[in-house]
Amino acid sequence: MEIGGHDVSRDLAAYSLAHRAGDVPQMVIELSPRSTAAGVFEGLAHVVIGDPPDPGPAAAAFLSAISPAELEKAALDRHDLMDGRPHELTRAMLALLREWALGQWGDPELEDGQ
């Protein structure tokens, strides 16, 4: 095990390796308090092994599940973004898609308290 080009394999006190389907493996390492690697590393480290997954397929699946009619209706109901500036409908749709991707499916505000 190397950290910054320094061999710390003799200084390891503990490590754990975890892997979840679709994610990159992750390793947490802890050096011994009597480590001779002083100044190289202190405390705990979170090491990611591999490349992060490509977000493209997940984004494509998310967008495929969106009803164009529902998106258009919800965007037109967004009075906070309908300000007469250029691309207002597109800005409203992008804002909605960002919110929906984060699980923010809030009901549209009712006018006049109804």
Side-chain angles (χ1 to χ4, degrees), residues 21-87:
D23 287 340
V24 295
Q26 296 181 355
M27 177 184 285
V28 177
I29 63 172
E30 182 180 349
L31 295 181
S32 165
R34 296 180 300 279
S35 170
T36 59
V40 174
F41 175 80
E42 294 179 18
L44 298 174
H46 182 216
V47 179
V48 177
I49 304 166
D51 295 323
D54 180 7
F62 169 76
L63 292 172
S64 295
I66 301 294
S67 162
E70 287 182 37
L71 176 61
E72 184 175 321
K73 180 181 180 328
L76 291 171
D77 287 343
R78 290 281 305 243
H79 299 293
D80 60 325
L81 295 174
M82 296 299 171
D83 53 13
R85 292 185 7 227
H87 316 294

Side-chain angles (χ1 to χ4, degrees), residues 3-24:
I3 298 175
H6 295 46
D7 182 2
V8 295
S9 55
R10 292 185 179 158
D11 298 308
L12 287 179
Y15 70 92
S16 65
L17 183 61
H19 182 236
R20 293 183 181 154
D23 287 340
V24 295

Side-chain angles (χ1 to χ4, degrees), residues 94-109:
L94 289 171
L96 280 166
L97 290 171
R98 275 190 302 274
E99 291 168 7
W100 291 353
L102 294 171
Q104 300 169 353
W105 299 93
D107 295 326
E109 293 182 23

